[in-house]
């Protein structure tokens, strides 16, 4: 049986090209092609596709929000993000919204078809550059967690206050310690987290 695929893409040329590729390839069928999230949310549930090719930068609601809503209505469908976006935050937002894979648009048609087959089998295809970024991010987060585990309870308290915008004097008063002691804790925090400023320390703390 053919893999039924729906396309959500605002670029007419790209949308039509993908539809032609799907309909001209054995084992695939384009079940529908939508230009934005509004049209997709209206039409795709009735088309019950196996796979949904989703662009991120859609007019109106983003492809990420569209993916989240379609995932709720079509839990069995696999959503494959197909986009020019390689931003780390976009990748993880897409995966959190229910996407099963993430590809960049410059892939050759054969690779896109392979990815559709893979995601339909339950896989999680990603372009090589996206996969490297995901692995690197998880490695960095793992290292950050290990570094944070080296902080003492008091250093964590100082860092928590720092993340709320407290100044040295306010931290000292809240924790009933001297401002000089706060500064000592801050130096230790910077050294253990391998950062050079309060903003970097807070960013590391909030990213955990």
């Amino acid at each position: 049986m053919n893999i039924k695929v729906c396309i959500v893409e605002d670029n007419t040329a790209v949308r039509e090209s993908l539809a032609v590729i799907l309909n001209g390839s054995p084992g695939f069928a384009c079940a529908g092609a939508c230009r934005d999230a509004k049209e997709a949310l209206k039409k795709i549930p009735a088309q019950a596709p196996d796979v949904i090719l989703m662009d991120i930068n859609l007019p109106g609601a983003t492809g990420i929000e569209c993916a989240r809503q379609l995932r709720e209505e079509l839990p069995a469908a696999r959503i494959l993000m197909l986009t020019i976006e390689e931003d780390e935050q976009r990748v993880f937002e897409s995966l959190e919204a229910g996407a099963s894979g993430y590809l960049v648009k410059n892939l050759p048609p054969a690779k896109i078809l392979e990815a559709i087959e893979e995601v339909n089998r339950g896989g999680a295809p990603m372009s090589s550059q996206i996969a490297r970024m995901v692995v690197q991010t998880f490695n960095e987060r793992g290292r950050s967690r290990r570094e944070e585990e080296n902080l003492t309870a008091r250093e964590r308290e100082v860092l928590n206050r720092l993340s709320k915008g407290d100044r040295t004097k306010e931290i000292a008063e809240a924790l009933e310690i001297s401002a000089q002691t706060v500064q000592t804790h801050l130096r230790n925090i910077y050294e253990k987290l391998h950062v050079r400023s309060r903003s970097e320390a807070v960013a590391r703390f909030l990213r955990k």
Side-chain angles (χ1 to χ4, degrees), residues 31-42:
C34 304
R35 65 182 180 275
D36 55 33
K38 182 178 180 180
E39 183 181 9
L41 293 170
K42 180 179 179 180

Side-chain angles (χ1 to χ4, degrees), residues 148-157 185 192:
E148 288 172 18
E149 288 171 0
N150 292 328
L151 298 179
T152 66
R154 179 63 85 185
E155 288 165 353
R156 289 175 184 273
E157 288 179 323
H185 285 313
K192 291 179 180 180

Side-chain angles (χ1 to χ4, degrees), residues 3 89 108 147 175:
I3 300 174
Q89 183 175 346
E147 290 169 347
L175 300 182

Side-chain angles (χ1 to χ4, degrees), residues 19-79:
V20 169
I21 291 169
L22 289 168
N23 288 328
S25 302
F28 300 87
C30 180
C34 304
R35 65 182 180 275
D36 55 33
K38 182 178 180 180
E39 183 181 9
L41 293 170
K42 180 179 179 180
K43 295 181 177 180
I44 289 181
Q47 293 162 338
D50 301 304
V51 177
I52 302 168
L53 289 181
M54 178 73 67
D55 186 25
I56 284 185
N57 292 321
L58 299 172
T62 67
I64 294 173
E65 180 56 36
C66 184
R68 182 176 290 109
Q69 294 186 51
L70 286 175
R71 186 66 173 164
E72 293 178 359
E73 295 196 47
L74 298 168
R78 301 286 181 171
I79 301 174

Side-chain angles (χ1 to χ4, degrees), residues 60-171:
T62 67
I64 294 173
E65 180 56 36
C66 184
R68 182 176 290 109
Q69 294 186 51
L70 286 175
R71 186 66 173 164
E72 293 178 359
E73 295 196 47
L74 298 168
R78 301 286 181 171
I79 301 174
L80 189 55
M81 308 305 285
L82 185 62
T83 176
I84 60 173
E85 294 282 349
E86 295 183 37
D87 177 75
E88 174 188 322
Q89 183 175 346
R90 291 278 198 167
V91 173
F92 284 99
E93 284 178 353
S94 297
L95 298 177
E96 288 171 356
S100 297
Y102 199 107
L103 306 178
V104 291
K105 288 182 178 179
N106 60 5
L107 285 177
K111 292 293 184 182
I112 294 175
L113 295 176
E114 286 177 11
I116 292 172
E117 287 183 314
E118 182 180 348
V119 79
N120 189 55
R121 292 194 302 266
M126 289 189 186
S127 301
S128 58
Q129 58 266 52
I130 298 296
R132 283 194 298 271
M133 182 175 65
V134 170
V135 171
Q136 181 180 356
T137 298
F138 276 110
N139 286 341
E140 290 176 352
R141 289 183 179 181
R143 185 173 63 251
S144 295
R145 283 193 294 271
R146 289 192 297 273
E147 290 169 347
E148 288 172 18
E149 288 171 0
N150 292 328
L151 298 179
T152 66
R154 179 63 85 185
E155 288 165 353
R156 289 175 184 273
E157 288 179 323
V158 171
L159 191 51
N160 183 52
R161 289 282 175 180
L162 202 64
S163 71
K164 295 177 180 178
D166 288 359
R167 291 170 294 184
T168 299
K169 182 179 179 181
E170 293 168 330
I171 295 173

